[in-house]
Amino acid sequence: MASGTSRDVVGRGLRVLGQAIREQPRIFAVAVTGSVLFGLMVIASAYVVGGVVGKVVVPAVARGSVADGALALAAAALFGISVLRVVGIFGRRLGAGYMQYRLQATYRRRVTRRYLDLPLAWHHRNATGTLLSNANSDVEAAWYPIAPLPFAVGTLVMLVGAVVSLFLTDWALALVGLAVFPALFALNVVYSRRMAPRQARAQRLRAEVSGIAHESFDGALVVKTMGREAQETARFAARAGDLRDALISVGKLRGVFDPMLETLPSLGTLAVLVVGAIRFRQGAITVTELVSVAFLFTVLAFPVRAIGWVLAELPRSVAGWDRVRRVLDATGEMPYGEVALDPATPAPATLAFHDVHFGYEPAEAHLPGAQVLGEVTFTVPAGKTVALVGPTGAGKSTIASLAVRLVDPDSGTVTLDGVDVRELTAASLASTVALVAQVPFVFDDTVRANITLDRPGIGDEEVWAALRLAEADGFVAALPEGLDTMVGERGTSLSGGQRQRLTLARALAGRPRLLVLDDATSAVDPRVEAAILAGLRAPADGGAPASILVVAYRRATIALADEVIYVEHGRVVARGTHTDLLATVPGYADLVTAYEQAEQEREQTRTYDEVTPLTSGLEVEVDR
Ligand SMILES: Nc1ncnc2c1ncn2[C@@H]1O[C@H](COP(=O)(O)OP(=O)(O)OP(=O)(O)O)[C@@H](O)[C@H]1O
Ligand SMILES: [Mg+2]
């Protein structure tokens, strides 16, 4: 069974290589041409060396003097061959490198492009770590055999050439070649087949060892406070021991096969000398021919190993390729429609949910997916502010995702200005709505780039205007390099509230006609939060206010809304003004009051927008 599977792997691996050749035929041709040139020059060099011995050295020894002309000719021939060999190696290496790295880059782009095209539902099912390794190590592994492939193809041509030249020289010597070359080839195949599973195991254990290390360093706080040092060390030691054993078994195999691969050609040379001496005595071959063939056997041994390298990489390549294909072939498109929603004068948009039902896809297909939203119907009229209030897990973020079409409802409709969002073009959707997510995401880039995101028509003036609306102009102006300040990965050099206001400014810079704020100002001082919302409702520049759907908890924020939608367990339980709901819906009053109490307690122990130690130079305006 094992051999059946490995034959299968070779077959599938060769198909992957075929795919690579189809994608880069010209570069592959260059690399193989270089490799074949090299192979032919290897054979030629053997015959020239033979010629030098037979025609220059032997007569010179007999005569006691060297013929200058013959020596010069031999030197020129060897030099010419060396130059061609160098050209061949250059072409092969360059071509193989080009091909390998080009394919890697192409597929990395395709995989990441696919990630961005796949709907959020797919991302919910796939861990970030897996996505990273698909785009990095899997793509790399898929194309590992490309590096030695041209060498191996050239070597096959060379072996055929060598056998032909042997037959042209002498049939008896050719028989030695026919015995040795296939044996060398077979030995390489056996070697790589035995090696592949050992290498794979070592590779897997390497990943596990670094995974465990990563986990225990990352969780150092937990490990230490829970007194788990000994257990963690033991867990690591066990895996490290497995890795050691796996690597030793790789070494053992090398220890057995490497000497055999070295010895076999030498035995061939020995056989050539024995057979050749007999044939020489019979007068069937000359000294030149004998030396040429003996030399040929010694120079052939190395290139033959290239075939083994390709075979050894095939299992890894197939595994990587399978994982890459899984991404590229993943279905679940979220196709966009054809309708453009771009009014001549930007006016606030109307958002309407009608009888929306939604459930997240289960992590595994056989598990039932729980319904998260049911019968959700509400409207955010043009220019109005609607607050979405509800206990944790009620489905507020899910409603926000549906409103900006990160996910589609299972039934019911979400419309913008009366058009089903599924019928809108991607560009239209992006220019109409903006979501400020519950967890702010900041790119490892400048403040400016984080706000413009390379969108056209957003100059510094627009950036500052957006920052002002988000009440973020103060702290950005105080940054050492203003808009050009680099903010660390995920905004680590910013406080929570600063991060939130930066992402809010990013959404505002695109002048959306509907703004969806998912708890987007929770880390901002309550007074600033209310000021931001008031500013959005009545822009200072006199422009039209956007329609706003805001997930909020704070009384001051909610009180600014024209209407409050109260959700519990994925259903709209009540709606009305804040005052109405406080008076009539007990759950609502409890929630708002409880939140207020918690806030007050927190406020006594902490201030908002504390300066993080990383950026002690930052001035923070808590009270603007
Ligand atoms: N990616 C997901 N996959 C599966 N279930 C999810 C996913 N995201 C959320 N849920 C579930 O959907 C329900 C609603 O979640 P949602 O995030 O919309 O709540 P929320 O009202 O925003 O809560 P919070 O106030 O804590 O932000 C919860 O029961 C949650 O467990
Ligand atoms: Mg939420």
Side-chain angles (χ1 to χ4, degrees), residues 508-538:
L508 294 174
R511 294 206 152 252
R513 297 164 51 223
L514 169 72
L515 191 60
V516 181
L517 305 175
D518 186 0
D519 211 6
T521 38
S522 57
V524 177
D525 182 277
R527 277 155 302 195
V528 178
E529 186 185 37
I532 291 173
L533 205 63
L536 293 178
R537 281 166 52 83

PDB file of all heavy atoms in Angstrom, residues 508-538:
ATOM      1  N   LEU A 508     -15.056  58.180   7.784  1.00  0.00           N
ATOM      2  CA  LEU A 508     -15.634  59.481   7.440  1.00  0.00           C
ATOM      3  C   LEU A 508     -14.981  60.085   6.202  1.00  0.00           C
ATOM      4  O   LEU A 508     -15.630  60.799   5.446  1.00  0.00           O
ATOM      5  CB  LEU A 508     -15.478  60.440   8.626  1.00  0.00           C
ATOM      6  CG  LEU A 508     -16.280  60.057   9.868  1.00  0.00           C
ATOM      7  CD1 LEU A 508     -15.937  60.973  11.021  1.00  0.00           C
ATOM      8  CD2 LEU A 508     -17.771  60.115   9.547  1.00  0.00           C
ATOM      9  N   ALA A 509     -13.682  59.795   6.004  1.00  0.00           N
ATOM     10  CA  ALA A 509     -12.955  60.393   4.891  1.00  0.00           C
ATOM     11  C   ALA A 509     -13.579  60.024   3.551  1.00  0.00           C
ATOM     12  O   ALA A 509     -13.484  60.772   2.586  1.00  0.00           O
ATOM     13  CB  ALA A 509     -11.487  59.968   4.929  1.00  0.00           C
ATOM     14  N   GLY A 510     -14.231  58.867   3.473  1.00  0.00           N
ATOM     15  CA  GLY A 510     -14.862  58.454   2.227  1.00  0.00           C
ATOM     16  C   GLY A 510     -16.232  59.096   2.032  1.00  0.00           C
ATOM     17  O   GLY A 510     -16.915  58.811   1.069  1.00  0.00           O
ATOM     18  N   ARG A 511     -16.645  59.970   2.948  1.00  0.00           N
ATOM     19  CA  ARG A 511     -17.950  60.639   2.909  1.00  0.00           C
ATOM     20  C   ARG A 511     -19.086  59.660   2.610  1.00  0.00           C
ATOM     21  O   ARG A 511     -19.821  59.790   1.629  1.00  0.00           O
ATOM     22  CB  ARG A 511     -17.961  61.769   1.872  1.00  0.00           C
ATOM     23  CG  ARG A 511     -17.029  62.898   2.251  1.00  0.00           C
ATOM     24  CD  ARG A 511     -17.469  64.214   1.658  1.00  0.00           C
ATOM     25  NE  ARG A 511     -17.027  65.317   2.512  1.00  0.00           N
ATOM     26  CZ  ARG A 511     -17.834  66.037   3.261  1.00  0.00           C
ATOM     27  NH1 ARG A 511     -19.125  65.802   3.275  1.00  0.00           N
ATOM     28  NH2 ARG A 511     -17.367  67.026   4.010  1.00  0.00           N
ATOM     29  N   PRO A 512     -19.241  58.652   3.481  1.00  0.00           N
ATOM     30  CA  PRO A 512     -20.300  57.673   3.257  1.00  0.00           C
ATOM     31  C   PRO A 512     -21.667  58.310   3.458  1.00  0.00           C
ATOM     32  O   PRO A 512     -21.791  59.295   4.192  1.00  0.00           O
ATOM     33  CB  PRO A 512     -20.033  56.627   4.333  1.00  0.00           C
ATOM     34  CG  PRO A 512     -19.397  57.394   5.436  1.00  0.00           C
ATOM     35  CD  PRO A 512     -18.563  58.453   4.769  1.00  0.00           C
ATOM     36  N   ARG A 513     -22.673  57.751   2.798  1.00  0.00           N
ATOM     37  CA  ARG A 513     -24.030  58.271   2.957  1.00  0.00           C
ATOM     38  C   ARG A 513     -24.764  57.528   4.057  1.00  0.00           C
ATOM     39  O   ARG A 513     -25.833  57.929   4.490  1.00  0.00           O
ATOM     40  CB  ARG A 513     -24.750  58.190   1.620  1.00  0.00           C
ATOM     41  CG  ARG A 513     -24.054  59.091   0.572  1.00  0.00           C
ATOM     42  CD  ARG A 513     -24.478  58.738  -0.826  1.00  0.00           C
ATOM     43  NE  ARG A 513     -25.915  58.712  -0.892  1.00  0.00           N
ATOM     44  CZ  ARG A 513     -26.618  57.784  -1.520  1.00  0.00           C
ATOM     45  NH1 ARG A 513     -25.999  56.801  -2.153  1.00  0.00           N
ATOM     46  NH2 ARG A 513     -27.920  57.818  -1.517  1.00  0.00           N
ATOM     47  N   LEU A 514     -24.174  56.416   4.473  1.00  0.00           N
ATOM     48  CA  LEU A 514     -24.691  55.708   5.646  1.00  0.00           C
ATOM     49  C   LEU A 514     -23.487  55.261   6.468  1.00  0.00           C
ATOM     50  O   LEU A 514     -22.562  54.639   5.942  1.00  0.00           O
ATOM     51  CB  LEU A 514     -25.500  54.477   5.241  1.00  0.00           C
ATOM     52  CG  LEU A 514     -25.840  53.535   6.408  1.00  0.00           C
ATOM     53  CD1 LEU A 514     -26.895  54.142   7.320  1.00  0.00           C
ATOM     54  CD2 LEU A 514     -26.302  52.182   5.897  1.00  0.00           C
ATOM     55  N   LEU A 515     -23.497  55.602   7.737  1.00  0.00           N
ATOM     56  CA  LEU A 515     -22.385  55.255   8.602  1.00  0.00           C
ATOM     57  C   LEU A 515     -22.875  54.233   9.620  1.00  0.00           C
ATOM     58  O   LEU A 515     -23.905  54.448  10.265  1.00  0.00           O
ATOM     59  CB  LEU A 515     -21.915  56.532   9.304  1.00  0.00           C
ATOM     60  CG  LEU A 515     -20.600  56.494  10.064  1.00  0.00           C
ATOM     61  CD1 LEU A 515     -19.458  56.138   9.127  1.00  0.00           C
ATOM     62  CD2 LEU A 515     -20.349  57.860  10.695  1.00  0.00           C
ATOM     63  N   VAL A 516     -22.171  53.115   9.730  1.00  0.00           N
ATOM     64  CA  VAL A 516     -22.553  52.100  10.708  1.00  0.00           C
ATOM     65  C   VAL A 516     -21.456  52.045  11.764  1.00  0.00           C
ATOM     66  O   VAL A 516     -20.307  51.721  11.456  1.00  0.00           O
ATOM     67  CB  VAL A 516     -22.743  50.725  10.041  1.00  0.00           C
ATOM     68  CG1 VAL A 516     -23.170  49.698  11.076  1.00  0.00           C
ATOM     69  CG2 VAL A 516     -23.766  50.811   8.921  1.00  0.00           C
ATOM     70  N   LEU A 517     -21.793  52.420  12.981  1.00  0.00           N
ATOM     71  CA  LEU A 517     -20.800  52.450  14.052  1.00  0.00           C
ATOM     72  C   LEU A 517     -21.098  51.308  15.016  1.00  0.00           C
ATOM     73  O   LEU A 517     -22.113  51.317  15.707  1.00  0.00           O
ATOM     74  CB  LEU A 517     -20.882  53.786  14.809  1.00  0.00           C
ATOM     75  CG  LEU A 517     -20.746  55.052  13.963  1.00  0.00           C
ATOM     76  CD1 LEU A 517     -20.972  56.295  14.814  1.00  0.00           C
ATOM     77  CD2 LEU A 517     -19.378  55.098  13.314  1.00  0.00           C
ATOM     78  N   ASP A 518     -20.227  50.300  15.025  1.00  0.00           N
ATOM     79  CA  ASP A 518     -20.462  49.162  15.915  1.00  0.00           C
ATOM     80  C   ASP A 518     -19.667  49.372  17.190  1.00  0.00           C
ATOM     81  O   ASP A 518     -18.498  48.985  17.272  1.00  0.00           O
ATOM     82  CB  ASP A 518     -20.057  47.853  15.220  1.00  0.00           C
ATOM     83  CG  ASP A 518     -20.417  46.631  16.069  1.00  0.00           C
ATOM     84  OD1 ASP A 518     -20.971  46.812  17.172  1.00  0.00           O
ATOM     85  OD2 ASP A 518     -20.143  45.506  15.624  1.00  0.00           O
ATOM     86  N   ASP A 519     -20.281  50.002  18.153  1.00  0.00           N
ATOM     87  CA  ASP A 519     -19.616  50.206  19.434  1.00  0.00           C
ATOM     88  C   ASP A 519     -18.255  50.857  19.199  1.00  0.00           C
ATOM     89  O   ASP A 519     -17.267  50.530  19.849  1.00  0.00           O
ATOM     90  CB  ASP A 519     -19.420  48.835  20.103  1.00  0.00           C
ATOM     91  CG  ASP A 519     -19.474  48.933  21.613  1.00  0.00           C
ATOM     92  OD1 ASP A 519     -19.782  50.028  22.116  1.00  0.00           O
ATOM     93  OD2 ASP A 519     -19.201  47.925  22.276  1.00  0.00           O
ATOM     94  N   ALA A 520     -18.242  51.808  18.240  1.00  0.00           N
ATOM     95  CA  ALA A 520     -16.979  52.289  17.694  1.00  0.00           C
ATOM     96  C   ALA A 520     -16.314  53.348  18.545  1.00  0.00           C
ATOM     97  O   ALA A 520     -15.211  53.781  18.252  1.00  0.00           O
ATOM     98  CB  ALA A 520     -17.199  52.825  16.284  1.00  0.00           C
ATOM     99  N   THR A 521     -16.978  53.810  19.586  1.00  0.00           N
ATOM    100  CA  THR A 521     -16.384  54.876  20.394  1.00  0.00           C
ATOM    101  C   THR A 521     -16.408  54.494  21.868  1.00  0.00           C
ATOM    102  O   THR A 521     -16.348  55.351  22.740  1.00  0.00           O
ATOM    103  CB  THR A 521     -17.146  56.205  20.168  1.00  0.00           C
ATOM    104  OG1 THR A 521     -18.533  55.930  20.043  1.00  0.00           O
ATOM    105  CG2 THR A 521     -16.672  56.885  18.903  1.00  0.00           C
ATOM    106  N   SER A 522     -16.449  53.194  22.143  1.00  0.00           N
ATOM    107  CA  SER A 522     -16.586  52.747  23.531  1.00  0.00           C
ATOM    108  C   SER A 522     -15.375  53.087  24.382  1.00  0.00           C
ATOM    109  O   SER A 522     -15.501  53.252  25.589  1.00  0.00           O
ATOM    110  CB  SER A 522     -16.826  51.245  23.556  1.00  0.00           C
ATOM    111  OG  SER A 522     -15.764  50.600  22.894  1.00  0.00           O
ATOM    112  N   ALA A 523     -14.179  53.195  23.754  1.00  0.00           N
ATOM    113  CA  ALA A 523     -12.980  53.480  24.541  1.00  0.00           C
ATOM    114  C   ALA A 523     -12.687  54.972  24.587  1.00  0.00           C
ATOM    115  O   ALA A 523     -11.654  55.398  25.064  1.00  0.00           O
ATOM    116  CB  ALA A 523     -11.784  52.717  23.976  1.00  0.00           C
ATOM    117  N   VAL A 524     -13.612  55.754  24.032  1.00  0.00           N
ATOM    118  CA  VAL A 524     -13.429  57.200  24.023  1.00  0.00           C
ATOM    119  C   VAL A 524     -14.187  57.773  25.219  1.00  0.00           C
ATOM    120  O   VAL A 524     -15.219  57.237  25.622  1.00  0.00           O
ATOM    121  CB  VAL A 524     -13.976  57.774  22.695  1.00  0.00           C
ATOM    122  CG1 VAL A 524     -13.878  59.277  22.676  1.00  0.00           C
ATOM    123  CG2 VAL A 524     -13.242  57.168  21.512  1.00  0.00           C
ATOM    124  N   ASP A 525     -13.672  58.826  25.746  1.00  0.00           N
ATOM    125  CA  ASP A 525     -14.336  59.501  26.857  1.00  0.00           C
ATOM    126  C   ASP A 525     -15.801  59.779  26.496  1.00  0.00           C
ATOM    127  O   ASP A 525     -16.102  60.212  25.397  1.00  0.00           O
ATOM    128  CB  ASP A 525     -13.580  60.821  27.116  1.00  0.00           C
ATOM    129  CG  ASP A 525     -14.164  61.562  28.291  1.00  0.00           C
ATOM    130  OD1 ASP A 525     -15.167  62.269  28.075  1.00  0.00           O
ATOM    131  OD2 ASP A 525     -13.639  61.409  29.396  1.00  0.00           O
ATOM    132  N   PRO A 526     -16.751  59.538  27.398  1.00  0.00           N
ATOM    133  CA  PRO A 526     -18.180  59.681  27.073  1.00  0.00           C
ATOM    134  C   PRO A 526     -18.550  61.046  26.507  1.00  0.00           C
ATOM    135  O   PRO A 526     -19.337  61.129  25.574  1.00  0.00           O
ATOM    136  CB  PRO A 526     -18.870  59.466  28.420  1.00  0.00           C
ATOM    137  CG  PRO A 526     -17.894  58.736  29.260  1.00  0.00           C
ATOM    138  CD  PRO A 526     -16.534  59.069  28.772  1.00  0.00           C
ATOM    139  N   ARG A 527     -17.940  62.100  27.049  1.00  0.00           N
ATOM    140  CA  ARG A 527     -18.278  63.428  26.532  1.00  0.00           C
ATOM    141  C   ARG A 527     -17.811  63.581  25.094  1.00  0.00           C
ATOM    142  O   ARG A 527     -18.485  64.161  24.260  1.00  0.00           O
ATOM    143  CB  ARG A 527     -17.636  64.504  27.408  1.00  0.00           C
ATOM    144  CG  ARG A 527     -18.453  64.820  28.643  1.00  0.00           C
ATOM    145  CD  ARG A 527     -17.585  65.378  29.727  1.00  0.00           C
ATOM    146  NE  ARG A 527     -16.516  64.431  30.070  1.00  0.00           N
ATOM    147  CZ  ARG A 527     -15.777  64.512  31.169  1.00  0.00           C
ATOM    148  NH1 ARG A 527     -15.948  65.498  32.007  1.00  0.00           N
ATOM    149  NH2 ARG A 527     -14.843  63.616  31.420  1.00  0.00           N
ATOM    150  N   VAL A 528     -16.603  63.019  24.810  1.00  0.00           N
ATOM    151  CA  VAL A 528     -16.080  63.103  23.447  1.00  0.00           C
ATOM    152  C   VAL A 528     -16.968  62.274  22.514  1.00  0.00           C
ATOM    153  O   VAL A 528     -17.269  62.686  21.389  1.00  0.00           O
ATOM    154  CB  VAL A 528     -14.614  62.611  23.390  1.00  0.00           C
ATOM    155  CG1 VAL A 528     -14.092  62.655  21.966  1.00  0.00           C
ATOM    156  CG2 VAL A 528     -13.746  63.455  24.303  1.00  0.00           C
ATOM    157  N   GLU A 529     -17.419  61.124  23.014  1.00  0.00           N
ATOM    158  CA  GLU A 529     -18.276  60.278  22.183  1.00  0.00           C
ATOM    159  C   GLU A 529     -19.546  61.028  21.775  1.00  0.00           C
ATOM    160  O   GLU A 529     -19.928  61.044  20.605  1.00  0.00           O
ATOM    161  CB  GLU A 529     -18.653  58.992  22.943  1.00  0.00           C
ATOM    162  CG  GLU A 529     -19.433  58.021  22.065  1.00  0.00           C
ATOM    163  CD  GLU A 529     -19.924  56.788  22.822  1.00  0.00           C
ATOM    164  OE1 GLU A 529     -20.315  56.918  24.000  1.00  0.00           O
ATOM    165  OE2 GLU A 529     -19.917  55.706  22.228  1.00  0.00           O
ATOM    166  N   ALA A 530     -20.159  61.672  22.738  1.00  0.00           N
ATOM    167  CA  ALA A 530     -21.376  62.425  22.438  1.00  0.00           C
ATOM    168  C   ALA A 530     -21.078  63.567  21.478  1.00  0.00           C
ATOM    169  O   ALA A 530     -21.860  63.846  20.557  1.00  0.00           O
ATOM    170  CB  ALA A 530     -21.989  62.962  23.732  1.00  0.00           C
ATOM    171  N   ALA A 531     -19.903  64.218  21.655  1.00  0.00           N
ATOM    172  CA  ALA A 531     -19.527  65.330  20.777  1.00  0.00           C
ATOM    173  C   ALA A 531     -19.336  64.830  19.344  1.00  0.00           C
ATOM    174  O   ALA A 531     -19.749  65.480  18.382  1.00  0.00           O
ATOM    175  CB  ALA A 531     -18.243  65.984  21.278  1.00  0.00           C
ATOM    176  N   ILE A 532     -18.714  63.629  19.201  1.00  0.00           N
ATOM    177  CA  ILE A 532     -18.499  63.073  17.867  1.00  0.00           C
ATOM    178  C   ILE A 532     -19.841  62.842  17.178  1.00  0.00           C
ATOM    179  O   ILE A 532     -20.071  63.260  16.044  1.00  0.00           O
ATOM    180  CB  ILE A 532     -17.720  61.735  17.949  1.00  0.00           C
ATOM    181  CG1 ILE A 532     -16.277  61.987  18.394  1.00  0.00           C
ATOM    182  CG2 ILE A 532     -17.727  61.026  16.600  1.00  0.00           C
ATOM    183  CD1 ILE A 532     -15.494  60.718  18.662  1.00  0.00           C
ATOM    184  N   LEU A 533     -20.747  62.201  17.915  1.00  0.00           N
ATOM    185  CA  LEU A 533     -22.037  61.863  17.327  1.00  0.00           C
ATOM    186  C   LEU A 533     -22.815  63.128  16.962  1.00  0.00           C
ATOM    187  O   LEU A 533     -23.410  63.217  15.888  1.00  0.00           O
ATOM    188  CB  LEU A 533     -22.842  60.993  18.298  1.00  0.00           C
ATOM    189  CG  LEU A 533     -23.870  60.117  17.614  1.00  0.00           C
ATOM    190  CD1 LEU A 533     -23.204  59.123  16.682  1.00  0.00           C
ATOM    191  CD2 LEU A 533     -24.699  59.373  18.653  1.00  0.00           C
ATOM    192  N   ALA A 534     -22.759  64.126  17.844  1.00  0.00           N
ATOM    193  CA  ALA A 534     -23.448  65.387  17.562  1.00  0.00           C
ATOM    194  C   ALA A 534     -22.864  66.027  16.308  1.00  0.00           C
ATOM    195  O   ALA A 534     -23.599  66.556  15.464  1.00  0.00           O
ATOM    196  CB  ALA A 534     -23.325  66.324  18.757  1.00  0.00           C
ATOM    197  N   GLY A 535     -21.529  65.943  16.170  1.00  0.00           N
ATOM    198  CA  GLY A 535     -20.858  66.516  15.004  1.00  0.00           C
ATOM    199  C   GLY A 535     -21.268  65.806  13.720  1.00  0.00           C
ATOM    200  O   GLY A 535     -21.431  66.427  12.673  1.00  0.00           O
ATOM    201  N   LEU A 536     -21.449  64.501  13.804  1.00  0.00           N
ATOM    202  CA  LEU A 536     -21.821  63.737  12.615  1.00  0.00           C
ATOM    203  C   LEU A 536     -23.252  64.082  12.187  1.00  0.00           C
ATOM    204  O   LEU A 536     -23.566  64.116  11.008  1.00  0.00           O
ATOM    205  CB  LEU A 536     -21.735  62.235  12.897  1.00  0.00           C
ATOM    206  CG  LEU A 536     -20.337  61.672  13.145  1.00  0.00           C
ATOM    207  CD1 LEU A 536     -20.419  60.188  13.451  1.00  0.00           C
ATOM    208  CD2 LEU A 536     -19.445  61.915  11.939  1.00  0.00           C
ATOM    209  N   ARG A 537     -24.102  64.334  13.180  1.00  0.00           N
ATOM    210  CA  ARG A 537     -25.504  64.630  12.870  1.00  0.00           C
ATOM    211  C   ARG A 537     -25.671  66.012  12.259  1.00  0.00           C
ATOM    212  O   ARG A 537     -26.571  66.225  11.449  1.00  0.00           O
ATOM    213  CB  ARG A 537     -26.351  64.538  14.142  1.00  0.00           C
ATOM    214  CG  ARG A 537     -26.696  63.112  14.528  1.00  0.00           C
ATOM    215  CD  ARG A 537     -27.225  63.044  15.941  1.00  0.00           C
ATOM    216  NE  ARG A 537     -28.325  63.987  16.168  1.00  0.00           N
ATOM    217  CZ  ARG A 537     -29.588  63.737  15.854  1.00  0.00           C
ATOM    218  NH1 ARG A 537     -29.901  62.585  15.304  1.00  0.00           N
ATOM    219  NH2 ARG A 537     -30.513  64.623  16.085  1.00  0.00           N
ATOM    220  N   ALA A 538     -24.809  66.941  12.651  1.00  0.00           N
ATOM    221  CA  ALA A 538     -24.893  68.297  12.114  1.00  0.00           C
ATOM    222  C   ALA A 538     -23.501  68.773  11.743  1.00  0.00           C
ATOM    223  O   ALA A 538     -22.849  69.449  12.525  1.00  0.00           O
ATOM    224  CB  ALA A 538     -25.518  69.222  13.157  1.00  0.00           C
TER     225      ALA A 538
END
